[in-house]
Amino acid sequence: MAADVDLLILAELNPDVLVSAADVEVRFGQVEQLIENATVTLGSSGAITACAAAAQGLRVAVCAVTGDDPIGEWTREQLRGHGVDVTGVTARPGRATGLSVVLTRAGGDRAILTFPGTMTELSAADVPPGLLARARHVHASSFFLQRGLQADLPALFAQARSAGATTSLDTGWAPDGEWAAAGPVLAGLSYLLPNEAECAHLARALVPAAEPGSGPGMLACAAALASLGPAVAVKLGAAGGLIVGSDGAFRVHGRPVEPLDTTGAGDCFNAGFLAGLLDGELQAGALRRAVASGSAAVTGWGGTGALATREQAERAGAELVTDQLAIPAA
């Protein structure tokens, strides 16, 4: 079957209620407090990655579960508006679509309150085999939220690889500290895309001898996880990103950006990285696209407020400083 989908995302879907809290300390006791700004935007790692990848010219499809409620229909319509194929999204009768409330502060700090709803319900039974076979690359988002997908994911990725696709995973945060649960997925995975904290926690759980921390320690954590199978591209926030993979180890330095809102920056990093790979870039070049895409994202409000085009990401990425690194000895 011809691969007519560049990127298939096995996703959790929800809107975000974004609240600019500034210096407000949230108080209970029926206290009404005024805030600077609030809006409803498309949320979830999978949805933001999908929209950001479509903005860079990829043919993107999403497979997910929503409720058959107005929130679910709004979420699907937002994806359609960004050019994402949602024929693989199931609207489950009688179920409620998930929702996140994101409290943001100047400088990029956030607090996130999430009602999972149908985020937990996607399983292999909801993934059309024909859609899986049509994809050049299959990405799974928010592994620890997608509890219904966890046990099925190694087999789904194996099917994708047998059809010629590459694979990637953004685990997201483990709310209950269950980091070791990601272990079975890594052996057959092409790319792991954690942030710094996630990389350190995963390394501690899966490679106990790994050195935790940032800087050189973060390189050691990435190298430890890469020894389990995948190339590991780590999001370093404003500092850029690093990768340990088959091409070697590289660090791409970020550029100074005044953030408006950091929601979705890591998901846009994912999209830039995958778009670079699928456009034929080597891993260092894909990492430059990733860092440039994440940097652009923080200049907009919400995860889809400032999506870089392919041209914008390539141009900005070409200006970033890249260092080749020595992979730490095991």
Side-chain angles (χ1 to χ4, degrees):
M1 185 177 295
D4 60 353
V5 173
D6 294 314
L7 175 61
L8 170 63
I9 300 181
L10 309 179
E12 83 298 11
L13 295 180
N14 65 273
D16 281 344
V17 179
L18 287 182
V19 177
S20 180
D23 294 327
V24 172
E25 293 294 337
V26 177
R27 297 164 57 195
F28 288 86
Q30 310 298 322
V31 175
E32 184 171 12
Q33 298 169 268
L34 300 181
I35 57 175
E36 293 180 350
N37 191 19
T39 189
V40 179
T41 69
L42 185 61
S44 79
S45 175
I48 297 169
T49 298
C51 294
Q56 295 205 24
L58 297 187
R59 300 166 298 177
V60 183
V62 165
C63 189
V65 175
T66 68
D68 63 347
D69 51 6
I71 293 177
E73 175 53 36
W74 183 88
T75 301
R76 296 189 297 275
E77 188 57 37
Q78 291 295 306
L79 285 166
R80 291 188 197 100
H82 284 277
V84 175
D85 181 348
V86 296
T87 56
V89 178
T90 299
R92 188 150 290 162
R95 302 294 294 137
T97 304
L99 182 72
S100 288
V101 178
V102 183
L103 307 179
T104 69
R105 285 186 167 172
D109 195 15
R110 295 179 295 157
I112 305 172
L113 304 174
T114 294
F115 162 60
T118 53
M119 293 182 199
T120 64
E121 297 186 14
L122 181 69
S123 70
D126 301 302
V127 181
L131 183 57
L132 196 69
R134 289 166 47 202
R136 295 174 58 204
H137 184 95
V138 179
H139 173 76
S141 58
S142 297
F143 176 83
F144 295 111
L145 293 181
Q146 294 208 68
R147 299 188 183 279
L149 186 65
Q150 289 177 7
D152 297 338
L153 196 54
L156 286 169
F157 277 165
Q159 291 177 44
R161 290 193 306 275
S162 69
T166 47
T167 57
S168 59
L169 174 67
D170 183 346
T171 65
W173 189 255
D176 299 321
E178 66 277 33
W179 298 98
V185 186
L186 299 193
L189 185 68
S190 305
Y191 298 96
L192 178 66
L193 305 172
N195 64 25
E196 287 181 270
E198 293 158 1
C199 185
H201 280 288
L202 287 165
R204 289 190 195 106
L206 299 173
V207 191
E211 177 188 353
S214 59
M218 185 52 54
L219 177 60
C221 286
L225 290 171
S227 73
L228 301 179
V232 181
V234 185
K235 304 153 192 164
L236 302 178
L242 67 83
I243 187 166
V244 178
S246 58
D247 295 345
F250 297 89
R251 164 75 187 275
V252 172
H253 296 265
R255 59 185 177 88
V257 178
E258 184 66 33
L260 176 63
D261 174 30
T262 61
T263 302
D267 308 315
C268 291
F269 176 108
N270 294 345
F273 183 76
L274 298 177
L277 292 174
L278 290 168
D279 281 348
E281 295 267 13
L282 296 176
Q283 291 173 1
L287 185 63
R288 284 190 287 272
R289 287 261 298 261
V291 172
S293 300
S295 295
V298 304
T299 65
W301 181 247
T304 58
L307 301 178
T309 64
R310 175 188 277 120
E311 181 183 8
Q312 289 168 339
E314 288 178 337
R315 185 169 60 248
E319 298 175 354
L320 299 177
V321 175
T322 303
D323 298 328
Q324 186 162 11
L325 307 174
I327 300 176

